[in-house]
C-alpha cells in the first residue's frame, strides 16, 4: 500500500512523486482548472478589490480565477487571504496556486514537450514560491475552518508543497527533504510539509502508488 511505512518509507514514495510533480501540475491545470486558460476581461478589473466589502471581494476573486488574468488573480488573493472563513480560504488556495505562474509555465512546458527541446522541469524555478506556500497554507486554514476540499484542491496543495521542495534544492535530490516522512493521523499532527503533502494526497483518495502514477501518465 502507498502509505505502509513499515516497508516503504515516505522518502521513497515522495522521491517518485517529485519526479512527476511537474506532471501533476500539468494534469491539474489541463483537467480541472481549465478556467485558468480562459482569458477574458473582468468587467470591474480596474477596481482595487482590497477596497471592496468581503462579499464583493469573494465575487471578484471568483471572477478573477475564471478569467485567467494573472495579475487580477494575485490582487484577488491578496484581498481575501486574510478573510478567515472556509469559503474564502478554499478560494484563496486556488488563487494562490493559479497566481504562482502555472499557466505561463504550462504553456511553455507544453511547447518544450511537443518539440522535445529543453527541460520542462527547469521552469519550476520561475514559479512563485510565496504563492505556492500560500496555496498550501490556505487549504490548511480552510480545513481548520471546517471546509471539505475537493480532490483537485487537495492535489493542488500537495503539488504546491512538492514544487516548493524542488525549488529549494537540486531537482534530482528534492525527495531527500521528505525522507522518513509518514502519513499523519490528521493534519494537526503533521510535523513537516512532507507529512502535510502525504496527508493531502491521502485525502484525495490516492492510497496506492500505481493508482497515483497511473493518473498522471499521458
Amino acid at each position: 500500500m502507498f502509505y505502509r511505512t513499515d516497508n516503504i518509507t515516505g522518502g521513497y514514495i515522495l522521491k517518485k512523486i517529485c519526479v512527476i510533480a511537474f506532471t501533476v501540475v500539468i494534469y491539474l491545470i489541463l483537467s480541472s482548472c481549465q478556467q485558468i486558460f480562459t482569458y477574458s476581461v473582468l468587467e470591474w478589473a480596474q477596481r482595487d478589490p482590497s477596497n471592496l466589502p468581503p462579499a464583493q471581494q469573494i465575487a471578484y476573486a471568483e471572477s478573477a480565477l475564471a478569467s485567467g488574468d494573472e495579475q487580477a488573480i494575485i490582487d484577488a488573493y491578496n484581498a481575501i487571504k486574510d478573510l478567515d472563513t472556509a469559503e474564502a480560504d478554499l478560494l484563496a488556495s486556488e488563487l494562490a496556486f493559479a497566481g504562482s505562474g502555472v499557466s505561463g509555465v504550462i504553456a511553455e512546458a507544453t511547447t518544450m514537450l511537443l518539440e522535445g527541446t529543453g527541460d520542462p522541469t527547469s521552469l519550476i524555478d520561475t514559479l512563485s514560491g510565496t504563492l505556492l506556500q500560500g496555496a498550501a497554507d490556505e487549504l490548511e486554514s480552510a480545513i481548520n475552518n471546517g471546509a471539505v476540499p475537493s480532490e483537485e484542491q487537495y492535489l493542488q496543495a500537495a503539488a504546491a508543497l512538492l514544487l516548493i521542495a524542488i525549488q529549494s534544492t537540486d531537482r534530482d535530490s528534492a525527495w531527500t527533504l521528505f525522507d522518513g516522512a509518514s502519513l499523519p493521523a490528521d493534519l494537526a499532527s503533521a510535523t513537516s510539509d512532507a507529512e502535510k503533502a502525504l496527508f493531502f494526497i491521502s485525502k484525495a483518495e490516492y492510497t496506492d502508488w500505481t493508482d497515483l502514477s497511473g493518473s498522471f501518465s499521458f
Side-chain angles (χ1 to χ4, degrees):
M1 294 298 289
F2 187 37
Y3 295 114
R4 286 289 299 277
T5 56
D6 55 344
N7 56 5
I8 302 179
T9 68
Y12 174 81
I13 295 164
L14 284 167
K15 177 180 180 180
K16 290 189 173 184
I17 297 177
C18 282
V19 172
I20 64 164
F22 195 69
T23 307
V24 171
V25 178
I26 293 175
Y27 175 87
L28 289 170
I29 299 306
L30 294 181
S31 67
S32 305
C33 306
Q34 300 220 3
Q35 67 267 30
I36 293 176
F37 291 103
T38 308
Y39 289 95
S40 59
V41 179
L42 291 174
E43 294 180 3
W44 22 303
Q46 299 304 312
R47 298 185 64 181
D48 182 353
S50 65
N51 294 327
L52 298 171
Q56 289 187 27
Q57 287 177 334
I58 294 296
Y60 178 95
E62 290 172 342
S63 297
L65 186 61
S67 76
D69 184 313
E70 192 168 293
Q71 188 56 55
I73 287 171
I74 293 171
D75 290 344
Y77 166 73
N78 287 328
I80 72 167
K81 65 181 181 179
D82 294 324
L83 297 179
D84 192 25
T85 68
E87 177 189 20
D89 291 339
L90 280 179
L91 183 54
S93 178
E94 293 198 62
L95 288 165
F97 189 76
S100 67
V102 290
S103 61
V105 164
I106 293 305
E108 191 171 349
T110 300
T111 299
M112 284 184 173
L113 290 169
L114 290 175
E115 296 179 353
T117 59
D119 176 13
T121 62
S122 66
L123 299 173
I124 292 173
D125 293 334
T126 69
L127 297 171
S128 169
T130 299
L131 288 172
L132 289 173
Q133 187 65 57
D137 290 346
E138 291 292 342
L139 190 77
E140 182 175 358
S141 180
I143 294 169
N144 291 337
N145 279 326
V148 180
S150 67
E151 176 182 304
E152 290 78 13
Q153 288 167 334
Y154 275 122
L155 287 175
Q156 282 183 0
L161 291 173
L162 292 164
L163 290 168
I164 290 169
I166 293 172
Q167 285 183 332
S168 67
T169 188
D170 180 82
R171 286 186 296 278
D172 293 332
S173 59
W175 66 273
T176 60
L177 297 177
F178 297 88
D179 194 30
S182 58
L183 178 65
D186 51 44
L187 187 57
S189 60
T191 60
S192 66
D193 283 347
E195 291 188 354
K196 289 179 183 179
L198 284 172
F199 177 80
F200 292 151
I201 292 169
S202 74
K203 295 300 288 185
E205 299 184 357
Y206 286 97
T207 57
D208 184 88
W209 166 246
T210 56
D211 184 23
L212 180 64
S213 60
S215 296
F216 300 132
S217 299
F218 57 89

